[in-house]
Amino acid sequence: MKRFGTAVLASVCATGAFADPVALTSGDQLSQDLTLYLFLPTNTSGTSGLAGVETDLDLSLSDVLDVLDFGSSLRYEAWRNDFGFLVDGNYYGISQDFSASSGIARLDVDVEQWWLSFLGAYRVGKGTLGNGGRYSFDLQGGLRYTSLKQEIDIDGPGPGLALGGTETWWEPVVGARYLWEITDRWTGGVLVDAGGFGVGDNDLAWSATAGADYEFENGGSIKFGLRYYSIDFETERSDGTFTYDVTQVGPFVGYTFRF
């Protein structure tokens, strides 16, 4: 069951923008950027469950990477004056085949998660620091659509058996972010967001992110920092309880294109 749990948890490797200098702008001209991310959870713990069977998890980064087929995460952000619009998109696909301990049956694990969020933002505070750099504080809110697939196909001498399936739901999301200019090229940021609140059987999904952004001469920039992510999802299906209650901690890196 540890292998099954590893496959499930690899699907939550997603992150959001935080230290984004475009959010410091406050003019009539539209400012936009697009960021691609990679989140590397060095520790994953919690409980995953399918068809009423739960597994306790304590996984390293190598455990997660062993079963990751493909993953991508991006974020679009646009600001004009004190108003912003953000779109987050994430996709992860996992698959793993292995034989049962008896050697008779073969198990195919298929996990796929993707979500898309649409957020409005408003800058509630801004000003200048003692070093002359700008700072801003914005609040965010909107909706997120999530699709989560956890499925095991069992092939043996008799009829095949499929356990699990796909759960989809819409949920509200809120967030708060503080940004400050360290130098003319460095920007620091802290972001906290939360979603679910019992909607769509997701009790709570929240994250805390802190890091920095370095801007190159070509206008692009690299982001890096640390992220904590937690989700508590549970629902009842015809074949039993479908559980997804995990936390992840680790570094991330991303690159931003400005236009």
Side-chain angles (χ1 to χ4, degrees):
M1 290 301 293
K2 180 179 179 180
R3 282 182 150 186
F4 161 66
T6 303
V8 171
L9 288 164
S11 66
V12 303
C13 301
T15 188
F18 68 108
D20 206 332
V22 72
L24 287 167
T25 61
S26 57
D28 293 334
Q29 185 176 359
L30 183 66
S31 299
Q32 307 173 81
D33 66 23
L34 180 67
T35 303
L36 305 179
Y37 282 98
L38 175 63
F39 175 46
L40 302 172
T42 54
N43 179 262
T44 300
S45 60
T47 302
S48 67
L50 187 60
V53 179
E54 294 189 349
T55 305
D56 292 329
L57 300 156
D58 184 10
L59 308 173
S60 67
L61 176 60
S62 62
D63 293 328
V64 175
L65 294 180
D66 281 345
V67 293
L68 180 63
D69 289 340
F70 177 75
S72 63
S73 179
L74 58 85
R75 181 169 172 124
Y76 167 78
E77 189 160 349
W79 282 84
R80 175 174 286 166
N81 296 319
D82 291 330
F83 295 91
F85 176 69
L86 305 87
V87 179
D88 257 327
N90 295 265
Y91 173 84
Y92 285 86
I94 310 297
S95 64
Q96 187 175 23
D97 302 333
F98 54 92
S99 298
S101 57
S102 63
I104 299 175
R106 184 168 184 82
L107 280 66
D108 297 326
V109 178
D110 186 13
V111 177
E112 181 181 77
Q113 183 196 25
W114 64 270
W115 55 264
L116 187 65
S117 62
F118 304 91
L119 303 171
Y122 180 70
R123 186 183 295 110
V124 296
K126 60 184 177 181
T128 303
L129 299 169
N131 63 356
R134 296 171 296 175
Y135 73 86
S136 72
F137 179 71
D138 63 84
L139 299 178
Q140 305 168 9
L143 294 174
R144 178 165 58 206
Y145 180 80
T146 302
S147 175
L148 174 61
K149 177 181 181 182
Q150 298 184 111
E151 187 173 278
I152 295 181
D153 294 322
I154 304 175
D155 296 321
L161 177 64
L163 301 176
T166 301
E167 295 293 325
T168 62
W169 67 93
W170 283 94
E171 64 185 18
V173 182
V174 295
R177 177 175 56 180
Y178 179 74
L179 302 172
W180 70 96
E181 287 183 326
I182 302 171
T183 69
D184 58 346
R185 292 193 180 276
W186 286 94
T187 302
V190 177
L191 167 68
V192 178
D193 58 31
F197 309 107
V199 178
D201 293 320
N202 184 13
D203 287 343
L204 182 66
W206 73 278
S207 68
T209 307
D213 174 284
Y214 177 80
E215 185 174 357
F216 299 107
E217 292 183 359
N218 64 2
S221 64
I222 187 170
K223 291 176 169 60
F224 53 89
L226 293 174
R227 179 172 170 83
Y228 175 91
Y229 175 84
S230 175
I231 183 172
D232 184 4
F233 177 84
E234 182 176 313
T235 191
E236 292 296 328
R237 296 177 56 88
S238 60
D239 58 357
T241 305
F242 184 105
T243 306
Y244 197 59
D245 183 6
V246 301
T247 61
Q248 291 184 305
V249 181
F252 68 90
V253 62
Y255 187 85
T256 298
F257 303 87
R258 293 191 175 87
F259 50 93

